[in-house]
Amino acid sequence: MEKIKRALGYISMAVMILVLLYVKYAYERGLELWPVNTKLLHDKVRVERKIKIPEGETMEFIQPAFLVGLSQSSTETPEDVMEELEEGNYGHELYEEAKLNEDGTRSMTVTGKQLERWISTSEDAINERIEDGWDKGLEIKIEKDYTKVTYILKEGCELSFMEWGMYAQVIIGCLFEIQSFTGIAPEDCYVREVVKREVDSKTLTIIDINSRNRYLEITDAQWYGEEDMK
């Protein structure tokens, strides 16, 4: 009788181990088929870290003039932006040294940790807008080389031209920042912006511009797909 009880105990233990292994397998398989963050129906922007700065060393990056201009308001000068940048750096150590070059570009010397922080901040800013836009019926797609962003206004999306501009201002700035911090020469940095709207099962292209000639003149009727673009 004692032997039978012992045998049943071993069998029960083996069954329990098999059940636990199956639960683990089912959980892992479930994560593949149904991610925990099910709200995200799109890929997040993740920058491939190609540049490594050894500890104790720094590297200088030159940001394009467009990025310097984008970060200033109509009443500010590049010098004003530099002053604000220096004020923001105080106590935060975002960079080691920053200077405004004669050609309108900006040089920034950073450590490896500072570079990681700049890039991750840009990633977070873009992903936050991708997430927020998705809830409003705006789909945002970023090319892998960060040179093109496509906005798709889904059927019924009421996002205004002004609201889109706020998304675009942040995203284009982050894409320029990412490009300059991944080693692209400032003269080669550019972003193409395309805005499409879904109307009556058709997709209309409203905007297709390059950052080198970023001039927009659109009526509300054109923006909402009520009038064809000329």
Side-chain angles (χ1 to χ4, degrees):
M1 191 68 180
E2 193 65 28
K3 288 182 179 179
I4 293 174
K5 286 183 179 179
R6 194 178 303 150
L8 288 173
Y10 288 140
I11 292 170
S12 298
M13 187 179 296
V15 169
M16 189 177 295
I17 291 171
L18 288 172
V19 168
L20 289 173
L21 288 172
Y22 176 78
V23 169
K24 181 176 181 292
Y25 165 79
Y27 175 76
E28 291 174 348
R29 182 65 179 148
L31 285 180
E32 292 175 12
L33 298 174
W34 191 258
V36 175
N37 198 353
T38 54
K39 188 180 177 183
L40 288 176
L41 303 178
H42 45 72
D43 294 328
K44 284 190 173 183
V45 172
R46 292 183 181 86
V47 179
E48 186 181 348
R49 270 66 162 174
K50 294 180 180 179
I51 295 175
K52 304 293 181 184
I53 303 175
E55 194 164 342
E57 296 184 21
T58 60
M59 188 177 289
E60 183 182 80
F61 296 89
I62 301 176
Q63 298 177 310
F66 182 90
L67 185 55
V68 179
L70 191 67
S71 59
Q72 69 187 61
S73 67
S74 58
T75 58
E76 288 180 314
T77 65
E79 288 75 16
D80 293 332
V81 174
M82 288 300 298
E83 190 174 327
E84 290 173 4
L85 196 61
E86 288 171 7
E87 288 176 3
N89 192 49
Y90 182 74
H92 295 93
E93 297 181 354
L94 302 172
Y95 59 86
E96 297 298 291
E97 182 186 3
K99 62 181 179 181
L100 189 64
N101 303 314
E102 291 182 2
D103 62 357
T105 60
R106 180 169 56 204
S107 293
M108 189 173 286
T109 304
V110 299
T111 64
K113 287 183 179 178
Q114 289 166 342
L115 177 62
E116 286 292 314
R117 184 172 177 183
W118 277 100
I119 290 178
S120 63
T121 299
S122 295
E123 286 176 337
D124 292 344
I126 292 174
N127 289 326
E128 181 184 333
R129 278 150 187 83
I130 288 176
E131 182 102 11
D132 185 62
W134 192 268
D135 293 337
K136 292 179 170 64
L138 171 67
E139 185 178 344
I140 303 172
K141 296 181 177 181
I142 309 288
E143 291 290 308
K144 295 293 183 184
D145 63 356
Y146 321 114
T147 61
K148 182 182 176 184
V149 53
T150 303
Y151 303 87
I152 302 173
L153 300 157
K154 297 293 184 180
E155 194 94 35
C157 177
E158 292 298 320
L159 202 72
S160 70
F161 178 69
M162 186 73 74
E163 288 173 311
W164 167 78
M166 294 172 69
Y167 280 84
Q169 191 82 347
V170 173
I171 288 176
I172 194 173
C174 289
L175 292 178
F176 263 97
E177 205 162 68
I178 287 170
Q179 286 182 53
S180 60
F181 279 134
T182 49
I184 297 176
E187 62 271 17
D188 293 331
C189 290
Y190 74 94
V191 178
R192 179 183 170 194
E193 297 173 279
V194 179
V195 180
K196 299 181 179 182
R197 179 180 283 278
E198 294 180 356
V199 181
D200 298 330
S201 301
K202 295 186 296 183
T203 302
L204 309 175
T205 298
I206 301 171
I207 296 170
D208 191 342
I209 53 172
N210 193 297
S211 54
R212 290 170 182 157
N213 184 25
R214 198 169 184 258
Y215 176 72
L216 300 172
E217 192 172 319
I218 297 171
T219 66
D220 282 346
Q222 289 171 335
W223 176 257
Y224 288 105
E226 299 162 0
E227 181 184 315
D228 289 340
M229 298 294 296
K230 297 177 181 177

